[in-house]
Amino acid sequence: MHNHILFEHPLNEKMRTWLRIEFLLQQLMTHLTVTDHASALHFFRNIGDLMDVFERGDVRTEMLKELERQQRKLQNWAEVPGVDNDRIQALRQELKAHSVTLMAAPRLGQTLREDRLIGLVRQRLSIPGGCCSFDLPSLHFWLHMPQEFRDAQVNRWFTSLDPLRFALGKVLDLIRHSSPFRKQTSLNGFFQDNGDDADLLRLSMSMDDELYPQISGHKSRFAIRFMPIDSEHGRVPERLDFELACC
């Protein structure tokens, strides 16, 4: 699907939260080696955003419920004739193992919350340029410590998120693969349909169309309006083909 772009849109609050957490974890993973102020601020800003997300709702409880729900869905699949039962049982065991690990783990973000340096940097992030060496001499000192010392500390902070990271990865993978892409056509840049209790819309379209989708809706009904990237001169074709999966 070269030259195609994939858009994903959550249809409920839990999915919105999970996609944000996944996005922040991906950002963190691109710069796990902190060598200077720029990479440090990238790391601490994402860590701070993650902690904000954790503090807004009970992410662990929601994730445990979802692991349970996915196990039930797999159990229903197991009764379909001709299905690969070994694969289903292996997936159920995997989900069960994630539940056990997540339940046994300390409170989400606890290691990060208790760390003095993270706390200090987090307080200054909302101030423009507030992480200068004169504002945060402790960060300045930390950035002059040996690289292996910083690597070990960053690694410890990041691996404290593993129970959630691995469970979330598995759940999102199952949700994304729960429904195939189907060809759809919008008329005059508009498309609507029933969500059938879906959690996530995945929309694939050609980059050549130079359009992006504005999606609104929830699990029972959704609408998509296609907008030109060039808002002044761009045009929306009368009929536009794209692919859509309601997961």
Side-chain angles (χ1 to χ4, degrees), residues 43-44 112 115 118 142 153-161:
F43 179 81
F44 286 114
L112 310 175
D115 191 274
I118 289 178
W142 187 72
Q153 202 159 15
V154 166
N155 198 39
R156 193 167 67 248
W157 290 331
F158 189 67
T159 51
S160 73
L161 299 167

Side-chain angles (χ1 to χ4, degrees), residues 9 17 31 94 112 153 168-169 176 190 194 196 210 216:
H9 189 85
T17 300
H31 284 291
E94 207 180 325
L112 310 175
Q153 202 159 15
L168 179 67
R176 284 177 172 128
F190 188 73
N194 296 324
D196 296 329
E210 294 190 8
S216 60

Side-chain angles (χ1 to χ4, degrees), residues 33 54 78 87 126 129 138 150-151 167-168 172-173 179 200 215 225 228 240 247:
T33 308
F54 293 161
R87 176 95 181 101
S126 58
S138 53
R150 270 198 311 282
D151 288 347
L168 179 67
L172 289 179
D173 191 46
S179 179
L200 178 70
I215 303 172
R225 190 168 286 288
L240 173 77
C247 305

Side-chain angles (χ1 to χ4, degrees), residues 205-245:
M205 55 191 295
S206 168
M207 290 283 289
D208 300 338
D209 295 321
E210 294 190 8
L211 302 168
Y212 65 91
Q214 272 191 344
I215 303 172
S216 60
H218 44 77
K219 61 184 183 177
S220 53
R221 191 148 189 82
F222 62 86
I224 304 169
R225 190 168 286 288
F226 291 93
M227 313 292 284
I229 287 291
D230 180 347
S231 54
E232 274 186 59
H233 308 292
R235 50 176 292 281
V236 180
E238 204 175 302
R239 295 175 73 83
L240 173 77
D241 291 336
F242 62 97
E243 297 212 323
L244 186 70

Side-chain angles (χ1 to χ4, degrees), residues 95-151:
L95 290 171
K96 214 170 273 183
H98 285 309
S99 287
V100 171
T101 309
L102 194 55
M103 265 162 137
R107 187 170 159 225
L108 271 187
Q110 193 63 27
T111 307
L112 310 175
R113 220 171 275 112
E114 288 169 356
D115 191 274
R116 188 163 175 272
L117 182 62
I118 289 178
L120 285 169
V121 177
R122 204 176 164 201
Q123 282 169 11
R124 312 286 312 176
L125 280 170
S126 58
I127 302 163
C131 296
C132 286
S133 59
F134 62 84
D135 275 316
L136 271 179
S138 53
L139 175 65
H140 190 62
F141 184 87
W142 187 72
L143 286 169
H144 282 77
M145 298 281 276
Q147 185 65 46
E148 55 272 22
F149 171 83
R150 270 198 311 282
D151 288 347

